[in-house]
Amino acid sequence: MNHAQISQQIIDSVAQSVRESSDIPAIIGKTLDIIHTHLHTSLTCFHVVDDTWQSYRLLGIHSICDDDVLAQRLRILSGQVFPFFEWQHHQHQPLVIADVQAEMCIEEHREKWQCWAHEQIQSIIFIPLWFGNCYEGMLTAAFDTTLSQETIRVSTLLAVGTYIAAALAQARLSLTVQSEQTSLYTILDQLPEGALIADSVTGSIRYANETAASLLQIPLVQLIGLPVHQFTRQHIPDAQNMDQGTLPPWNFFLIQALSGEIISSKEATIVTPNGQKIVVLISCAPISIKHDKQQILTGAIILFQDITKTKNVEQHKNEFLSIASHELRTPITIIQGFADLLAQMPLETSSLNELTQSALMHIVDQSEYLTRLIDAMLDITRVEQQQLHLNLAMYDLHRLLIQVVDSQLMTTNRHQLHLTVEGLQEQESLPGVFDKERIIQVISNLINNAIKYSPDGGTIEVGLRVAPTGDRSEKHREAWIWVKDQGMGIAPDECLRIFERFYRARVASNSSLSGFGIGLYVTKEIINRHGGRIWVESSLHEGSTFYIHLPLFSSPQITTGVAD
Ligand code: ADP
């Protein structure tokens, strides 16, 4: 065999062992043997470098030097004393020291070559092990003769180094993945929530914790390996009895996460093998690893929490609220009707004296207040049970706003309430499709709040502007509405929270101003249902501005004339 054939044989053998195995010690052992046998090295060794390139750890050595002291010296090499500390950072090229003994004779080089000092080491070839941009370590081949023309040995070792660097990088990567996986599983094992991880390639469950197994009522050993898509049918003995319309099955979200979506806090159902239905709150996220600057999706994780009890309590509460509100409404309407009737009788024709008349006015006022309260309670139950339906039709939003502001003007004499309209002529209509009563409710609620939460009076501005459509068509026209006051304001951390059910800002609840924290919750729902959005900008003691973006044609099927 000539030199080129020997070189090829070495490279082929190393490549094959790297391909066939991921066992690093075995690959290294075999490579050391091959190099020694064919290139007649006196010493061959591999070092791996640590993450900071500060120290090299001996991975494997083949030596004919028969010197324990030498092997011991090479076990850990400091990056600082390694002879080519400077060189390794900049070069991917090998370093050939043709005559080590000659180098040792130079006073200032002696210390740096000290660790390689041995009578059977006359020359050394150092091959840095680079895999792409990752520096993995060093291959050292020493010979008992000095070197002259060494291109073939160097190029052979360089090729071998490339394969070994790839194997080391691969091993490092899988070690990192493995250790991260172990710590992730340890954390998930401890979670009070159910946790499952599905594999993106097989689409089956790769990991489940005990809580998940007990929620799904499938033993852990059976759960691992089950395909995610199977759950919907396989584990529902009586699928038609399931309340399909309301909540999707839990695995539906996991499948979505497997295609890269993040899902947070969604309600879903688990139907156990014996038909029991459990309501869960779930969050899902895809899991990916970074490889070659690309994110590769490897799976998805789902966490679920049993909220069946809370849901049942909530449902009972809603039912109670709904029944109570309905039952209260009839007697209140009757009381209000009669009181109204009596109160409107002229004093001279009625047998009522002034005191009774004023008492009747109070009864009317209070029953109106009760009616509003009952309506708000009914609205809450409608929102909760997703039964807040809109009666959509075409209306003139401009006119509607004028009417609402006019009627609200009478409710206060401490505030200056005015309407600002931008981009529309005085008489110009602004047609849009919406639920008129609900939009009146929204604007009235915002104005009422502006009045209520500005106890010292001030100016209240109701604004309307037609938003520019930009590149979008007329169908996407939006109205921008705002209600601005100079009242007590809202702290920044509460600006989102005031739209939550029953939430009242601290400054309001500390004051004597009464309220239930229902209005904005329902308002937000109404605007959302119209495809719009509402938010507030406010500073404490400086007033608040509530903004609404309302699409004018969120329901394109209605295109006929403008109603009043
Ligand atoms: P309520 O006024 O009955 O408490 P809302 O849902 O209408 O209920 O309002 C929720 C909370 O938002 C109020 O309690 C108040 O703290 C705050 N809020 C609403 N509007 C204003 C406003 N214009 N200025 C200051 N705070 C407001």
Side-chain angles (χ1 to χ4, degrees), residues 445-454 483-485 487-490 494 497-509 513-523 536 538 543-546:
N445 184 27
L446 294 183
I447 299 175
N448 278 331
N449 277 351
I451 293 171
K452 180 161 74 171
Y453 296 111
S454 311
V483 178
K484 181 177 181 174
D485 65 51
M488 56 175 58
I490 302 153
E494 296 186 292
R497 298 211 61 194
I498 54 165
F499 295 97
E500 289 172 16
R501 189 178 57 163
F502 303 133
Y503 190 85
R504 302 203 70 219
R506 287 184 293 272
V507 61
S509 33
L513 303 167
S514 65
F516 292 95
I518 298 174
L520 287 181
Y521 173 69
V522 176
T523 292
V536 65
S538 183
S544 315
T545 310
F546 284 80

